[in-house]
Amino acid sequence: MIFMARYSRGVLVAGLSIVAAAVLAGLLGVVRPAAITVLVVLTVTPVVLLLATFLTPSIRRPPAAFAVADGAFRTPRTIMYAFCGVAHLGLLGLLVLLTDDFAALSLKDKATYVVGTAFFVIYVPAMWRGVGLTITAEGIRADKHCGTVVVPWAAIGPVPPIGERNEVRLNYRDPGLVRVSGWTPNRRELLCDGTDAKFAAAAIGYYAAHPEERAGIGTPAAQDELRAALDAVPAEKPASSSRGEKVALIVIGLVFFVVAVAGDVWVSEILGDESLLGWLVHLVAGAIGLAAGWCVIDGVKGLRRRT
């Protein structure tokens, strides 16, 4: 599934075309029920495919390898964001067709529409070109959800980068050398969905410490030499948190999740579901619930790694 990223733009353009045609047909009243059905299918199908991608080996266990092209090492891009974009477009199209009079909506409903559209805009770059790293002799280009971080080698500090999940975290010697375009709140965390993050971090650390090897970046021979060099370095046992810390993380996550849900229900009973303040509480509670759920998942994964 990871190598289907080459079709991401085609999928996104096709999805946009179908949504536009369905919305136009629905607004003209020609085949409104059929248009709604098409949008429902277009919303549900990418979600099913997106869930399926998480079961593929290339997503669960990304390879410890780069794609070699145009004098650079690149982390393969995934099609996941294109699937998210098509589903999001289908949902926005449904909102348009199921709303008879936007002006008559409550302030809360109007805010929901605005937030839903704004959230789509935030990750349009990721849908179009994916997220990942491009490593060259000059430095690193990191394409993120809504921006790009360009890191020259001189900016990277002596502390080795850390690779976890799908992220590489850098330590900068001179942050002023780092250039950012678009919007990205964290320039230290770089995403690499299609390559093992630990391998990418080790490769960056190697080239940061060995400037004489950078000229060969972007060739198959250089990647073979990189692997040999990394294999020759004695593997350090990664610092891992104890079983008790992982259990505590799970407990804390569950507590915050329960508090978020209970607080949301309590505030809804007091303020009602139609008030703007109640809507804001829903939004905050949802964010806390997602963060808490991530803590639980992270804790469970940690326990499974230790068994």
Short mmCIF file of all heavy atoms in Angstrom, two decimals, residues 14-82:
data_model
loop_
_atom_site.label_atom_id
_atom_site.label_comp_id
_atom_site.label_asym_id
_atom_site.label_seq_id
_atom_site.Cartn_x
_atom_site.Cartn_y
_atom_site.Cartn_z
N ALA A 14 -9.52 12.94 -8.58
CA ALA A 14 -10.75 12.20 -8.90
C ALA A 14 -11.80 12.41 -7.82
O ALA A 14 -12.99 12.63 -8.12
CB ALA A 14 -10.43 10.72 -9.06
N GLY A 15 -11.39 12.36 -6.55
CA GLY A 15 -12.33 12.58 -5.46
C GLY A 15 -12.94 13.97 -5.50
O GLY A 15 -14.16 14.13 -5.32
N LEU A 16 -12.10 14.97 -5.75
CA LEU A 16 -12.60 16.35 -5.84
C LEU A 16 -13.59 16.50 -6.99
O LEU A 16 -14.63 17.17 -6.85
CB LEU A 16 -11.43 17.30 -6.01
CG LEU A 16 -11.77 18.79 -6.17
CD1 LEU A 16 -12.51 19.30 -4.95
CD2 LEU A 16 -10.50 19.61 -6.40
N SER A 17 -13.30 15.87 -8.12
CA SER A 17 -14.19 15.96 -9.28
C SER A 17 -15.54 15.32 -9.00
O SER A 17 -16.60 15.88 -9.35
CB SER A 17 -13.53 15.29 -10.50
OG SER A 17 -12.29 15.90 -10.80
N ILE A 18 -15.52 14.15 -8.36
CA ILE A 18 -16.78 13.46 -8.06
C ILE A 18 -17.60 14.25 -7.06
O ILE A 18 -18.82 14.40 -7.20
CB ILE A 18 -16.49 12.04 -7.53
CG1 ILE A 18 -15.84 11.19 -8.61
CG2 ILE A 18 -17.79 11.38 -7.06
CD1 ILE A 18 -15.36 9.83 -8.13
N VAL A 19 -16.94 14.80 -6.03
CA VAL A 19 -17.66 15.60 -5.03
C VAL A 19 -18.28 16.83 -5.68
O VAL A 19 -19.45 17.16 -5.43
CB VAL A 19 -16.71 16.02 -3.89
CG1 VAL A 19 -17.38 17.06 -2.99
CG2 VAL A 19 -16.32 14.81 -3.05
N ALA A 20 -17.50 17.52 -6.51
CA ALA A 20 -18.01 18.73 -7.17
C ALA A 20 -19.21 18.40 -8.05
O ALA A 20 -20.23 19.12 -8.05
CB ALA A 20 -16.90 19.38 -8.00
N ALA A 21 -19.13 17.29 -8.81
CA ALA A 21 -20.23 16.91 -9.69
C ALA A 21 -21.47 16.52 -8.87
O ALA A 21 -22.60 16.91 -9.21
CB ALA A 21 -19.80 15.75 -10.58
N ALA A 22 -21.27 15.78 -7.77
CA ALA A 22 -22.40 15.35 -6.95
C ALA A 22 -23.07 16.54 -6.27
O ALA A 22 -24.30 16.63 -6.22
CB ALA A 22 -21.93 14.34 -5.91
N VAL A 23 -22.25 17.46 -5.75
CA VAL A 23 -22.82 18.64 -5.08
C VAL A 23 -23.59 19.50 -6.08
O VAL A 23 -24.69 19.99 -5.79
CB VAL A 23 -21.70 19.46 -4.40
CG1 VAL A 23 -22.24 20.80 -3.93
CG2 VAL A 23 -21.12 18.69 -3.22
N LEU A 24 -23.02 19.69 -7.26
CA LEU A 24 -23.70 20.50 -8.28
C LEU A 24 -25.03 19.86 -8.68
O LEU A 24 -26.05 20.54 -8.77
CB LEU A 24 -22.79 20.65 -9.50
CG LEU A 24 -23.34 21.51 -10.65
CD1 LEU A 24 -23.62 22.94 -10.16
CD2 LEU A 24 -22.38 21.52 -11.83
N ALA A 25 -25.01 18.54 -8.89
CA ALA A 25 -26.25 17.85 -9.25
C ALA A 25 -27.28 17.94 -8.13
O ALA A 25 -28.47 18.15 -8.37
CB ALA A 25 -25.95 16.39 -9.59
N GLY A 26 -26.81 17.81 -6.89
CA GLY A 26 -27.73 17.89 -5.76
C GLY A 26 -28.32 19.27 -5.60
O GLY A 26 -29.51 19.42 -5.30
N LEU A 27 -27.51 20.31 -5.77
CA LEU A 27 -28.01 21.68 -5.63
C LEU A 27 -29.00 22.04 -6.74
O LEU A 27 -29.94 22.81 -6.52
CB LEU A 27 -26.84 22.67 -5.65
CG LEU A 27 -25.90 22.62 -4.42
CD1 LEU A 27 -24.74 23.59 -4.60
CD2 LEU A 27 -26.66 22.94 -3.14
N LEU A 28 -28.79 21.47 -7.93
CA LEU A 28 -29.73 21.73 -9.03
C LEU A 28 -31.01 20.92 -8.88
O LEU A 28 -31.96 21.15 -9.63
CB LEU A 28 -29.05 21.39 -10.37
CG LEU A 28 -27.88 22.30 -10.76
CD1 LEU A 28 -27.25 21.82 -12.06
CD2 LEU A 28 -28.35 23.75 -10.91
N GLY A 29 -31.00 19.98 -7.90
CA GLY A 29 -32.20 19.20 -7.65
C GLY A 29 -32.48 18.13 -8.67
O GLY A 29 -33.59 17.59 -8.71
N VAL A 30 -31.47 17.81 -9.49
CA VAL A 30 -31.69 16.82 -10.54
C VAL A 30 -31.79 15.41 -9.95
O VAL A 30 -32.78 14.70 -10.14
CB VAL A 30 -30.54 16.88 -11.58
CG1 VAL A 30 -30.79 15.85 -12.70
CG2 VAL A 30 -30.43 18.28 -12.16
N VAL A 31 -30.77 15.00 -9.24
CA VAL A 31 -30.74 13.66 -8.64
C VAL A 31 -30.22 13.79 -7.22
O VAL A 31 -29.23 13.17 -6.87
CB VAL A 31 -29.85 12.70 -9.48
CG1 VAL A 31 -30.57 12.22 -10.72
CG2 VAL A 31 -28.53 13.36 -9.84
N ARG A 32 -30.87 14.56 -6.40
CA ARG A 32 -30.38 14.85 -5.05
C ARG A 32 -30.18 13.59 -4.21
O ARG A 32 -29.12 13.43 -3.59
CB ARG A 32 -31.34 15.82 -4.35
CG ARG A 32 -30.83 16.34 -3.01
CD ARG A 32 -31.85 17.28 -2.39
NE ARG A 32 -31.40 17.78 -1.10
CZ ARG A 32 -30.71 18.88 -0.92
NH1 ARG A 32 -30.34 19.59 -1.98
NH2 ARG A 32 -30.34 19.28 0.29
N PRO A 33 -31.14 12.66 -4.14
CA PRO A 33 -30.91 11.43 -3.35
C PRO A 33 -29.71 10.64 -3.85
O PRO A 33 -28.92 10.12 -3.06
CB PRO A 33 -32.22 10.65 -3.51
CG PRO A 33 -33.24 11.68 -3.85
CD PRO A 33 -32.52 12.68 -4.69
N ALA A 34 -29.58 10.54 -5.18
CA ALA A 34 -28.45 9.80 -5.74
C ALA A 34 -27.14 10.50 -5.42
O ALA A 34 -26.12 9.86 -5.13
CB ALA A 34 -28.62 9.64 -7.25
N ALA A 35 -27.16 11.84 -5.47
CA ALA A 35 -25.95 12.60 -5.17
C ALA A 35 -25.51 12.39 -3.72
O ALA A 35 -24.32 12.24 -3.43
CB ALA A 35 -26.20 14.09 -5.45
N ILE A 36 -26.49 12.36 -2.82
CA ILE A 36 -26.18 12.13 -1.40
C ILE A 36 -25.60 10.72 -1.21
O ILE A 36 -24.64 10.53 -0.46
CB ILE A 36 -27.44 12.33 -0.54
CG1 ILE A 36 -27.85 13.82 -0.56
CG2 ILE A 36 -27.20 11.85 0.89
CD1 ILE A 36 -29.13 14.11 0.18
N THR A 37 -26.17 9.75 -1.92
CA THR A 37 -25.66 8.38 -1.83
C THR A 37 -24.23 8.29 -2.31
O THR A 37 -23.38 7.64 -1.68
CB THR A 37 -26.54 7.43 -2.66
OG1 THR A 37 -27.89 7.48 -2.18
CG2 THR A 37 -26.02 6.00 -2.58
N VAL A 38 -23.94 8.96 -3.42
CA VAL A 38 -22.57 8.97 -3.95
C VAL A 38 -21.60 9.56 -2.93
O VAL A 38 -20.50 9.03 -2.70
CB VAL A 38 -22.51 9.77 -5.27
CG1 VAL A 38 -21.07 10.03 -5.68
CG2 VAL A 38 -23.23 9.01 -6.37
N LEU A 39 -22.00 10.65 -2.29
CA LEU A 39 -21.13 11.30 -1.31
C LEU A 39 -20.93 10.43 -0.07
O LEU A 39 -19.84 10.41 0.51
CB LEU A 39 -21.71 12.65 -0.92
CG LEU A 39 -21.67 13.72 -2.02
CD1 LEU A 39 -22.34 15.00 -1.55
CD2 LEU A 39 -20.23 14.02 -2.44
N VAL A 40 -21.97 9.70 0.33
CA VAL A 40 -21.82 8.80 1.47
C VAL A 40 -20.81 7.70 1.15
O VAL A 40 -19.92 7.38 1.94
CB VAL A 40 -23.18 8.18 1.86
CG1 VAL A 40 -22.99 7.05 2.87
CG2 VAL A 40 -24.10 9.25 2.45
N VAL A 41 -20.94 7.12 -0.04
CA VAL A 41 -20.01 6.07 -0.47
C VAL A 41 -18.59 6.63 -0.56
O VAL A 41 -17.62 6.00 -0.14
CB VAL A 41 -20.43 5.48 -1.82
CG1 VAL A 41 -19.37 4.54 -2.36
CG2 VAL A 41 -21.77 4.75 -1.69
N LEU A 42 -18.48 7.85 -1.08
CA LEU A 42 -17.17 8.47 -1.25
C LEU A 42 -16.55 8.83 0.10
O LEU A 42 -15.32 8.92 0.22
CB LEU A 42 -17.31 9.75 -2.10
CG LEU A 42 -16.01 10.30 -2.70
CD1 LEU A 42 -15.44 9.30 -3.70
CD2 LEU A 42 -16.26 11.63 -3.37
N THR A 43 -17.36 9.02 1.12
CA THR A 43 -16.84 9.30 2.45
C THR A 43 -16.44 8.03 3.18
O THR A 43 -15.38 7.98 3.83
CB THR A 43 -17.91 10.04 3.29
OG1 THR A 43 -18.27 11.26 2.62
CG2 THR A 43 -17.38 10.38 4.68
N VAL A 44 -17.24 6.98 3.05
CA VAL A 44 -16.99 5.75 3.80
C VAL A 44 -15.86 4.92 3.18
O VAL A 44 -15.00 4.40 3.90
CB VAL A 44 -18.28 4.91 3.88
CG1 VAL A 44 -18.00 3.55 4.52
CG2 VAL A 44 -19.34 5.67 4.67
N THR A 45 -15.83 4.82 1.85
CA THR A 45 -14.85 3.95 1.19
C THR A 45 -13.40 4.31 1.52
O THR A 45 -12.60 3.43 1.88
CB THR A 45 -15.07 3.96 -0.33
OG1 THR A 45 -16.40 3.53 -0.63
CG2 THR A 45 -14.07 3.03 -1.02
N PRO A 46 -12.99 5.59 1.43
CA PRO A 46 -11.60 5.91 1.78
C PRO A 46 -11.27 5.61 3.24
O PRO A 46 -10.13 5.26 3.55
CB PRO A 46 -11.50 7.41 1.50
CG PRO A 46 -12.58 7.69 0.53
CD PRO A 46 -13.69 6.77 0.90
N VAL A 47 -12.27 5.75 4.12
CA VAL A 47 -12.02 5.45 5.54
C VAL A 47 -11.72 3.96 5.71
O VAL A 47 -10.80 3.58 6.45
CB VAL A 47 -13.24 5.85 6.40
CG1 VAL A 47 -13.06 5.37 7.84
CG2 VAL A 47 -13.44 7.36 6.37
N VAL A 48 -12.47 3.10 5.01
CA VAL A 48 -12.22 1.66 5.06
C VAL A 48 -10.83 1.34 4.50
O VAL A 48 -10.06 0.57 5.09
CB VAL A 48 -13.30 0.89 4.27
CG1 VAL A 48 -12.95 -0.59 4.19
CG2 VAL A 48 -14.66 1.09 4.92
N LEU A 49 -10.49 1.97 3.38
CA LEU A 49 -9.16 1.75 2.79
C LEU A 49 -8.06 2.28 3.70
O LEU A 49 -6.99 1.68 3.81
CB LEU A 49 -9.08 2.44 1.42
CG LEU A 49 -9.98 1.85 0.33
CD1 LEU A 49 -9.90 2.70 -0.93
CD2 LEU A 49 -9.57 0.41 0.01
N LEU A 50 -8.35 3.40 4.36
CA LEU A 50 -7.36 3.98 5.27
C LEU A 50 -7.10 3.04 6.44
O LEU A 50 -5.94 2.82 6.83
CB LEU A 50 -7.88 5.33 5.79
CG LEU A 50 -6.95 6.12 6.72
CD1 LEU A 50 -5.68 6.49 5.99
CD2 LEU A 50 -7.66 7.36 7.23
N LEU A 51 -8.16 2.47 6.99
CA LEU A 51 -7.99 1.51 8.08
C LEU A 51 -7.21 0.27 7.60
O LEU A 51 -6.41 -0.29 8.34
CB LEU A 51 -9.34 1.10 8.64
CG LEU A 51 -10.13 2.20 9.36
CD1 LEU A 51 -11.51 1.69 9.75
CD2 LEU A 51 -9.38 2.70 10.58
N ALA A 52 -7.45 -0.11 6.35
CA ALA A 52 -6.76 -1.27 5.80
C ALA A 52 -5.26 -1.02 5.67
O ALA A 52 -4.45 -1.94 5.82
CB ALA A 52 -7.34 -1.65 4.44
N THR A 53 -4.87 0.24 5.40
CA THR A 53 -3.45 0.53 5.25
C THR A 53 -2.68 0.28 6.54
O THR A 53 -1.51 -0.08 6.51
CB THR A 53 -3.22 2.00 4.82
OG1 THR A 53 -3.71 2.88 5.83
CG2 THR A 53 -3.93 2.29 3.51
N PHE A 54 -3.35 0.45 7.68
CA PHE A 54 -2.65 0.24 8.94
C PHE A 54 -2.37 -1.24 9.21
O PHE A 54 -1.61 -1.57 10.11
CB PHE A 54 -3.48 0.83 10.09
CG PHE A 54 -3.51 2.33 10.09
CD1 PHE A 54 -4.66 3.01 9.70
CD2 PHE A 54 -2.41 3.07 10.47
CE1 PHE A 54 -4.70 4.39 9.70
CE2 PHE A 54 -2.44 4.45 10.47
CZ PHE A 54 -3.59 5.11 10.08
N LEU A 55 -2.99 -2.12 8.43
CA LEU A 55 -2.75 -3.55 8.59
C LEU A 55 -1.65 -4.05 7.67
O LEU A 55 -1.21 -5.20 7.79
CB LEU A 55 -4.03 -4.34 8.31
CG LEU A 55 -5.24 -3.98 9.19
CD1 LEU A 55 -6.45 -4.80 8.75
CD2 LEU A 55 -4.92 -4.22 10.66
N THR A 56 -1.19 -3.21 6.73
CA THR A 56 -0.16 -3.63 5.79
C THR A 56 1.21 -3.61 6.46
O THR A 56 1.49 -2.74 7.28
CB THR A 56 -0.14 -2.72 4.56
OG1 THR A 56 0.14 -1.37 4.97
CG2 THR A 56 -1.48 -2.74 3.84
N PRO A 57 2.10 -4.54 6.11
CA PRO A 57 3.43 -4.58 6.72
C PRO A 57 4.22 -3.30 6.51
O PRO A 57 4.99 -2.89 7.37
CB PRO A 57 4.10 -5.78 6.01
CG PRO A 57 2.97 -6.63 5.55
CD PRO A 57 1.86 -5.67 5.21
N SER A 58 4.06 -2.65 5.35
CA SER A 58 4.84 -1.45 5.06
C SER A 58 4.46 -0.27 5.96
O SER A 58 5.24 0.67 6.11
CB SER A 58 4.66 -1.04 3.59
OG SER A 58 3.30 -0.82 3.30
N ILE A 59 3.27 -0.32 6.55
CA ILE A 59 2.87 0.73 7.48
C ILE A 59 3.20 0.33 8.91
O ILE A 59 3.73 1.12 9.69
CB ILE A 59 1.36 1.02 7.35
CG1 ILE A 59 1.06 1.62 5.97
CG2 ILE A 59 0.90 1.98 8.44
CD1 ILE A 59 1.70 2.96 5.72
N ARG A 60 2.90 -0.92 9.27
CA ARG A 60 3.17 -1.37 10.64
C ARG A 60 4.66 -1.48 10.91
O ARG A 60 5.13 -1.13 11.99
CB ARG A 60 2.48 -2.72 10.88
CG ARG A 60 0.96 -2.63 10.95
CD ARG A 60 0.34 -3.95 11.36
NE ARG A 60 0.51 -4.97 10.34
CZ ARG A 60 1.31 -6.02 10.44
NH1 ARG A 60 2.02 -6.20 11.53
NH2 ARG A 60 1.39 -6.91 9.47
N ARG A 61 5.42 -1.95 9.92
CA ARG A 61 6.87 -2.08 10.08
C ARG A 61 7.55 -1.51 8.85
O ARG A 61 7.93 -2.26 7.93
CB ARG A 61 7.25 -3.56 10.27
CG ARG A 61 6.67 -4.18 11.54
CD ARG A 61 7.12 -5.63 11.67
NE ARG A 61 6.55 -6.26 12.85
CZ ARG A 61 7.08 -6.19 14.06
NH1 ARG A 61 8.19 -5.50 14.24
NH2 ARG A 61 6.51 -6.79 15.09
N PRO A 62 7.72 -0.19 8.79
CA PRO A 62 8.35 0.43 7.62
C PRO A 62 9.76 -0.11 7.41
O PRO A 62 10.47 -0.43 8.37
CB PRO A 62 8.38 1.92 7.99
CG PRO A 62 7.35 2.08 9.04
CD PRO A 62 7.34 0.80 9.80
N PRO A 63 10.20 -0.24 6.16
CA PRO A 63 11.52 -0.81 5.89
C PRO A 63 12.64 0.14 6.30
O PRO A 63 12.48 1.36 6.31
CB PRO A 63 11.51 -0.99 4.36
CG PRO A 63 10.53 0.03 3.88
CD PRO A 63 9.48 0.11 4.93
N ALA A 64 13.78 -0.44 6.66
CA ALA A 64 14.97 0.35 6.99
C ALA A 64 15.72 0.63 5.70
O ALA A 64 16.78 0.06 5.42
CB ALA A 64 15.84 -0.39 7.99
N ALA A 65 15.15 1.49 4.88
CA ALA A 65 15.74 1.80 3.58
C ALA A 65 15.17 3.13 3.07
O ALA A 65 14.07 3.54 3.45
CB ALA A 65 15.44 0.69 2.58
N PHE A 66 15.97 3.76 2.21
CA PHE A 66 15.53 4.97 1.54
C PHE A 66 15.26 4.68 0.07
O PHE A 66 15.80 3.72 -0.49
CB PHE A 66 16.61 6.07 1.62
CG PHE A 66 16.91 6.56 3.01
CD1 PHE A 66 18.18 6.41 3.55
CD2 PHE A 66 15.92 7.17 3.77
CE1 PHE A 66 18.46 6.87 4.83
CE2 PHE A 66 16.19 7.62 5.06
CZ PHE A 66 17.47 7.47 5.58
N ALA A 67 14.43 5.51 -0.53
CA ALA A 67 14.32 5.50 -1.98
C ALA A 67 15.42 6.39 -2.53
O ALA A 67 15.65 7.49 -2.02
CB ALA A 67 12.94 6.02 -2.41
N VAL A 68 16.14 5.91 -3.54
CA VAL A 68 17.26 6.65 -4.12
C VAL A 68 16.81 7.28 -5.42
O VAL A 68 16.40 6.58 -6.35
CB VAL A 68 18.47 5.72 -4.36
CG1 VAL A 68 19.64 6.50 -4.96
CG2 VAL A 68 18.88 5.04 -3.07
N ALA A 69 16.85 8.60 -5.51
CA ALA A 69 16.42 9.30 -6.72
C ALA A 69 16.94 10.71 -6.73
O ALA A 69 16.97 11.39 -5.69
CB ALA A 69 14.88 9.32 -6.81
N ASP A 70 17.37 11.15 -7.92
CA ASP A 70 17.77 12.54 -8.15
C ASP A 70 18.84 13.01 -7.16
O ASP A 70 18.78 14.12 -6.63
CB ASP A 70 16.56 13.48 -8.07
CG ASP A 70 15.49 13.11 -9.08
OD1 ASP A 70 15.86 12.69 -10.19
OD2 ASP A 70 14.29 13.25 -8.76
N GLY A 71 19.82 12.16 -6.90
CA GLY A 71 20.92 12.55 -6.02
C GLY A 71 20.51 12.78 -4.58
O GLY A 71 21.08 13.62 -3.89
N ALA A 72 19.50 12.04 -4.11
CA ALA A 72 19.01 12.22 -2.74
C ALA A 72 18.48 10.90 -2.21
O ALA A 72 18.13 9.99 -2.97
CB ALA A 72 17.93 13.29 -2.69
N PHE A 73 18.44 10.80 -0.89
CA PHE A 73 17.72 9.72 -0.21
C PHE A 73 16.37 10.28 0.19
O PHE A 73 16.27 11.33 0.82
CB PHE A 73 18.47 9.26 1.04
CG PHE A 73 19.76 8.54 0.75
CD1 PHE A 73 20.84 8.66 1.61
CD2 PHE A 73 19.88 7.73 -0.35
CE1 PHE A 73 22.03 8.00 1.36
CE2 PHE A 73 21.06 7.05 -0.62
CZ PHE A 73 22.13 7.18 0.24
N ARG A 74 15.32 9.55 -0.17
CA ARG A 74 13.96 10.00 0.17
C ARG A 74 13.25 8.90 0.93
O ARG A 74 13.41 7.72 0.66
CB ARG A 74 13.16 10.32 -1.10
CG ARG A 74 13.58 11.57 -1.82
CD ARG A 74 12.91 11.67 -3.19
NE ARG A 74 11.47 11.50 -3.12
CZ ARG A 74 10.61 12.49 -2.89
NH1 ARG A 74 11.05 13.73 -2.71
NH2 ARG A 74 9.32 12.27 -2.85
N THR A 75 12.44 9.31 1.90
CA THR A 75 11.56 8.35 2.56
C THR A 75 10.30 8.23 1.71
O THR A 75 9.72 9.24 1.30
CB THR A 75 11.18 8.82 3.98
OG1 THR A 75 10.53 10.10 3.90
CG2 THR A 75 12.43 8.96 4.83
N PRO A 76 9.86 7.01 1.38
CA PRO A 76 8.67 6.83 0.55
C PRO A 76 7.45 7.53 1.16
O PRO A 76 7.29 7.56 2.38
CB PRO A 76 8.49 5.31 0.51
CG PRO A 76 9.85 4.77 0.78
CD PRO A 76 10.47 5.73 1.75
N ARG A 77 6.62 8.09 0.30
CA ARG A 77 5.39 8.75 0.75
C ARG A 77 4.23 7.77 0.69
O ARG A 77 4.22 6.85 -0.12
CB ARG A 77 5.09 9.98 -0.12
CG ARG A 77 6.30 10.90 -0.33
CD ARG A 77 6.85 11.42 0.99
NE ARG A 77 8.13 12.08 0.86
CZ ARG A 77 8.27 13.39 0.69
NH1 ARG A 77 7.21 14.16 0.60
NH2 ARG A 77 9.48 13.91 0.60
N THR A 78 3.25 7.97 1.55
CA THR A 78 2.10 7.07 1.60
C THR A 78 0.88 7.74 0.98
O THR A 78 0.83 8.96 0.78
CB THR A 78 1.77 6.67 3.05
OG1 THR A 78 1.19 7.79 3.71
CG2 THR A 78 3.02 6.24 3.79
N ILE A 79 -0.11 6.91 0.71
CA ILE A 79 -1.35 7.39 0.11
C ILE A 79 -2.39 7.74 1.17
O ILE A 79 -3.51 8.17 0.86
CB ILE A 79 -1.91 6.33 -0.86
CG1 ILE A 79 -2.91 6.94 -1.86
CG2 ILE A 79 -2.54 5.17 -0.08
CD1 ILE A 79 -3.34 5.97 -2.95
N MET A 80 -2.03 7.59 2.44
CA MET A 80 -3.01 7.76 3.52
C MET A 80 -3.66 9.14 3.52
O MET A 80 -4.86 9.27 3.74
CB MET A 80 -2.34 7.49 4.87
CG MET A 80 -1.92 6.07 5.09
SD MET A 80 -1.40 5.76 6.80
CE MET A 80 -0.01 6.87 6.93
N TYR A 81 -2.85 10.19 3.29
CA TYR A 81 -3.41 11.53 3.37
C TYR A 81 -4.36 11.81 2.21
O TYR A 81 -5.31 12.59 2.35
CB TYR A 81 -2.28 12.56 3.40
CG TYR A 81 -1.44 12.44 4.64
CD1 TYR A 81 -0.19 11.81 4.61
CD2 TYR A 81 -1.88 12.93 5.86
CE1 TYR A 81 0.58 11.69 5.76
CE2 TYR A 81 -1.13 12.80 7.02
CZ TYR A 81 0.10 12.17 6.95
OH TYR A 81 0.85 12.04 8.09
N ALA A 82 -4.12 11.18 1.07
CA ALA A 82 -5.07 11.33 -0.04
C ALA A 82 -6.40 10.69 0.31
O ALA A 82 -7.47 11.23 0.01
CB ALA A 82 -4.48 10.70 -1.31
#
